[in-house]
Amino acid sequence: MTATDDKLLIDVGSTYFKLATANTIEQHFRDFNRDIFDDLMGKCGDTIDRFDKQDIHICSSANGGLSTLIIGVTNSFSLKYATNIAFNSGINIIDTILYQNIEEYSLPSDLIDVVIIVGGVDSHANLFSSALYRYIEQLNYSNLVFVGSALDAQQMRDNIDNVVVLPNIIDDRLHIVEEHLKEYLTNLYQQDIEGKEDIKHLYDITANQIYSTPFIVNRALPTIEAKFPVADPFILLDIGGATTDIHYSKDLVEDNIVTENEYDRLVFKRLGVYKSKQSLILAAQANEFTYELLTHLKVTENIFHEQSDKATKILMQLAIFLVLCKMSHYRQSYINLKLLAINSIVFTGGITKVLTVEDIESIIVFFYRKILTSDHKPVAILDSDYGIWTLGAKV
Amino acid sequence: MKVVTGVVGNDIHVVANRLIDLSLRARGYEVFNLGVNTHLEEFFDAVVETGAEVLMISSLNGEAEGWGREVPLLKSRYSNLDDVIMMIGGNLVVGSGNTEDIVARYKKYGFDLVCHQMDLNTGLDMLQSLSEERGIA
Ligand code: B12
């Protein structure tokens, strides 16, 4: 997309629509009783009608993103690399299976959009056996891709119908190779949108590809300093209605992944303040520091049952705390961020409309004191006019 | 024959690692070098991904003492590493110690070849003999 002034940028989220032109920003709560397209046209039709199809750019996280099941042979290489590529391709829901224990995993009941099988360098063969094919046979999935050792590709073709075989994501030096799988997953996202009844009509108003919102956000990060006084290294938290996304700069991970991306992404599914409110509350109740934090915020547990602006605000503060906690414990997520090295935390999404810098900083200080026993205090930066998203959409 | 090698823990002494890489290649091994600063789990995982017959860990700064103790438990979580030749060398204790005791201790941790402050070529000769003995050379 080129940066000109006569464009309309639309973001369809799980909770709101956002529309940005060169000098205006509109935001509307979605009506879940209506089709996305009808709802959007009903609320913003006048604005949309003023633009040509070529000048309208849409990104969306409303289709919920794709779900993935990754089957790999180790945590440090195959599962980690595939997870990294999947997150960076905009996929939200990722489950992993360590192949050697495949018989101990239960079968997911939901339909899986894409199963990824990975393992081995190209000179190693026979990493998988009948246990894999038995498991796959019982799975309910739409797509299956093999990105492991080239020597095993034929065996996959012989045993799994409709398997797509792509080049190995692990090279001969055990480094990650991203591009083929990334392109495949990005295209699947595209097809998913085209296939979803209530979203596909969005192509009636744009002549451009509809991207996933996290893809757009990640794209903005290398140029973020043009817009905000961000001190490196930083993380960006997008606390949304359904999930929470974290984008982080590479210097924050001690990792064996060597990629060309400066920024990676991680998602905590079912951690959002609207659609995933109940699971957020459950996560909060399971955290031993929650009650202390509620006291610190001068409220009680009853706030969980309230429906008020105050309750939303507290939930958002809790979400920040829980996300920081989840990133701080060794190996709880697939990477560990060096939280003591962070100089800024950038916040984007609906949260910036509700919380002030002070509300957020009080959580940050509480977190660093209680969990990391440190007086470290990264600066909180609020992207309250969706500057990051417009930056990314215009690249 | 495939070898996974690297320096364990937060150890950044890189010179021996480079020499090991070169010497192994000169002797005809296929080398997967994880470099310095490598977690124990990454070593085992690399063996699984590559199908290596040999795992050769270096430790120079003394950290191996701590990591060594974790080897039996970690290795027990893998279903197919039993036939891998496990080898460790460098400075295997903090300060100085009796080599015999050190070797016995690391053998108990599950290492087949323990090369405390041993010249590299001597160590690689030992590897050669052991793999011939096991019929994998
Ligand atoms: C250079 C050096 C450094 C450099 C490293 C630069 C770099 N990036 O490589 C710097 C200054 C950064 C450094 C830092 C430290 N160092 Co220093 N360092 C050395 C020094 C002087 C030389 C190491 C070297 O490169 N030798 C040349 C190579 C070729 O020899 P080598 O490493 O011994 O390896 C040979 C054999 O051991 C063998 N080998 C090695 N691995 C294996 C594996 C197998 C399977 C086999 C068969 C053989 C084998 O083969 C090699 C060739 O023969 C040694 C002292 C010494 N003279 O050995 C201390 C030494 C290794 N360092 C030491 C220490 C304590 C440290 C620090 C903790 C110091 C500190 N307090 O900060 C830090 C640790 C940093 C870290 N996170 O790891 C101690 C370790 C003591 C111990 N184990 O009890 C030593 C022995 C110095 C001492 N006598 O106290 N160090």
Side-chain angles (χ1 to χ4, degrees):
Chain A
M1 299 180 205
T2 46
T4 48
D5 292 339
D6 48 3
K7 290 195 183 301
L8 173 65
L9 311 172
I10 302 175
D11 179 38
V12 182
S14 72
T15 316
Y16 317 82
F17 300 120
K18 299 188 279 276
L19 283 77
T21 65
N23 38 33
T24 59
I25 289 265
E26 297 178 40
Q27 175 179 309
H28 305 274
F29 259 104
R30 279 180 46 197
D31 174 353
F32 295 105
N33 298 318
R34 294 180 74 181
D35 178 84
I36 290 181
F37 181 75
D38 293 343
D39 193 16
L40 178 68
M41 290 311 280
K43 284 169 176 146
C44 320
D46 291 348
T47 311
I48 290 166
D49 287 342
R50 284 197 281 120
F51 289 84
D52 283 345
K53 267 176 106 164
Q54 292 89 290
D55 296 326
I56 297 182
H57 295 274
I58 302 180
C59 63
S60 164
S61 49
N63 55 339
L66 296 176
S67 62
T68 309
L69 177 70
I70 304 172
I71 304 174
V73 299
T74 70
N75 289 317
S76 318
F77 300 96
S78 35
L79 287 175
K80 186 185 234 176
Y81 290 0
T83 302
N84 182 272
I85 295 171
F87 275 140
N88 286 335
S89 309
I91 286 187
N92 278 347
I93 298 166
I94 298 182
D95 285 306
T96 56
I97 287 182
L98 185 63
Y99 176 62
Q100 68 156 25
N101 305 333
I102 195 164
E103 271 146 358
E104 294 159 24
Y105 289 83
S106 55
L107 278 170
S109 49
D110 295 344
L111 173 73
I112 298 158
D113 293 308
V114 54
V115 178
I116 301 172
I117 301 173
V118 56
V121 296
D122 278 343
S123 64
H124 191 16
N126 296 320
L127 283 116
F128 300 97
S129 59
S130 55
L132 175 71
Y133 310 121
R134 276 199 304 277
Y135 190 86
I136 296 289
E137 238 172 54
Q138 303 170 66
L139 271 183
N140 188 7
Y141 60 88
S142 309
N143 303 279
L144 189 145
V145 59
F146 176 72
V147 285
S149 165
L151 295 178
D152 282 344
Q154 193 52 45
Q155 200 193 101
M156 293 294 148
R157 288 195 188 97
D158 294 343
N159 286 284
I160 305 171
D161 294 338
N162 300 322
V163 56
V164 172
V165 175
L166 296 178
N168 200 340
I169 60 169
I170 306 176
D171 73 9
D172 293 341
R173 292 156 63 213
L174 286 167
H175 291 173
I176 186 171
V177 180
E178 295 169 283
E179 62 263 27
H180 308 283
L181 182 60
K182 199 167 181 176
E183 190 188 330
Y184 172 81
L185 294 175
T186 314
N187 287 341
L188 275 191
Y189 184 85
Q190 182 74 8
Q191 288 164 19
D192 183 60
I193 288 180
E194 288 165 19
K196 288 218 161 114
E197 271 313 308
D198 59 340
I199 290 197
K200 70 178 184 196
H201 294 298
L202 292 176
Y203 276 107
D204 295 351
I205 55 169
T206 179
N208 300 298
Q209 174 163 358
I210 298 175
Y211 287 98
S212 73
T213 308
F215 180 88
I216 295 294
V217 170
N218 226 343
R219 196 159 71 171
L221 297 184
T223 50
I224 193 171
E225 274 152 82
K227 197 128 190 174
F228 300 95
V230 173
D232 265 329
F234 70 92
I235 58 172
L236 178 139
L237 295 188
D238 184 350
I239 299 183
T243 54
T244 288
D245 259 59
I246 299 143
H247 300 255
Y248 53 92
S249 46
K250 271 283 166 62
D251 359 352
L252 289 172
V253 270
E254 264 171 32
D255 212 279
N256 60 335
I257 303 187
V258 186
T259 60
E260 284 169 10
N261 309 337
E262 275 176 85
Y263 299 94
D264 272 345
R265 167 176 179 256
L266 173 66
V267 180
F268 291 114
K269 55 189 171 182
R270 295 189 268 280
L271 197 69
V273 286
Y274 293 103
K275 268 195 151 170
S276 314
K277 183 174 155 186
Q278 282 316 318
S279 66
L280 175 84
I281 291 173
L282 284 176
Q285 285 167 334
N287 185 301
E288 57 177 319
F289 291 96
T290 294
Y291 295 98
E292 212 173 319
L293 178 57
L294 290 177
T295 311
H296 174 76
L297 297 172
K298 302 190 173 61
V299 293
T300 67
E301 209 189 332
N302 295 333
I303 196 85
F304 292 148
H305 312 293
E306 274 177 34
Q307 297 275 0
S308 63
D309 290 350
K310 169 103 185 169
T312 303
K313 195 170 152 174
I314 298 286
L315 271 186
M316 286 183 169
Q317 287 178 298
L318 270 174
I320 297 172
F321 177 73
L322 291 175
V323 166
L324 291 173
C325 281
K326 275 178 182 282
M327 289 189 298
S328 68
H329 294 298
Y330 186 62
R331 291 272 151 132
Q332 212 181 326
S333 52
Y334 89 110
I335 48 106
N336 295 284
L337 295 182
K338 293 185 243 169
L339 291 175
L340 290 172
I342 292 174
N343 286 320
S344 332
I345 305 184
V346 184
F347 292 85
T348 187
I351 195 167
T352 60
K353 301 281 177 208
V354 177
L355 298 182
T356 64
V357 169
E358 291 73 40
D359 293 335
I360 292 175
E361 286 189 340
S362 112
I363 301 296
I364 294 177
V365 168
F366 180 88
F367 167 79
Y368 276 90
R369 289 239 171 94
K370 284 288 162 199
I371 309 293
L372 301 181
T373 50
S374 159
D375 286 331
H376 186 64
K377 186 180 165 218
V379 181
I381 295 161
L382 263 60
D383 170 30
S384 39
D385 62 354
Y386 299 109
I388 290 167
W389 166 68
T390 39
L391 204 63
K394 280 184 191 160
V395 168
Chain B
M1 204 153 65
K2 295 179 192 171
V3 184
V4 165
T5 191
V7 186
V8 68
N10 297 311
D11 194 333
I12 55 162
H13 293 90
V14 73
V15 183
N17 176 256
R18 293 274 158 82
L19 284 176
I20 289 172
D21 190 317
L22 291 169
S23 308
L24 283 169
R25 283 178 207 276
R27 285 175 180 240
Y29 293 95
E30 189 182 339
V31 183
F32 296 93
N33 187 357
L34 303 177
V36 295
N37 259 323
T38 301
H39 286 281
L40 207 50
E41 189 178 359
E42 283 164 15
F43 281 106
F44 289 124
D45 283 353
V47 170
V48 174
E49 299 280 0
T50 59
E53 290 90 353
V54 183
L55 171 57
M56 184 181 289
I57 297 179
S58 271
S59 175
L60 287 313
N61 70 4
E63 268 187 70
E65 283 217 84
W67 292 107
R69 261 177 245 133
E70 293 184 24
V71 167
L73 178 66
L74 186 64
K75 196 179 165 203
S76 72
R77 296 203 197 117
Y78 290 75
S79 57
N80 44 13
L81 293 184
D82 294 344
D83 297 334
V84 175
I85 295 181
M86 301 240 302
M87 183 169 183
I88 190 163
N91 306 313
L92 299 183
V93 287
V94 177
S96 56
N98 175 308
T99 302
E100 230 169 83
D101 296 344
I102 296 170
V103 171
R105 192 185 319 153
Y106 280 87
K107 290 218 160 165
K108 229 171 70 197
Y109 295 151
F111 289 95
D112 303 288
L113 298 169
V114 182
C115 310
H116 174 62
Q117 295 184 341
M118 185 189 287
D119 164 71
L120 179 57
N121 276 314
T122 313
L124 296 184
D125 290 345
M126 284 163 66
L127 172 62
Q128 177 83 23
S129 315
L130 182 65
S131 36
E132 279 163 12
E133 221 173 90
R134 293 202 186 170
I136 51 171

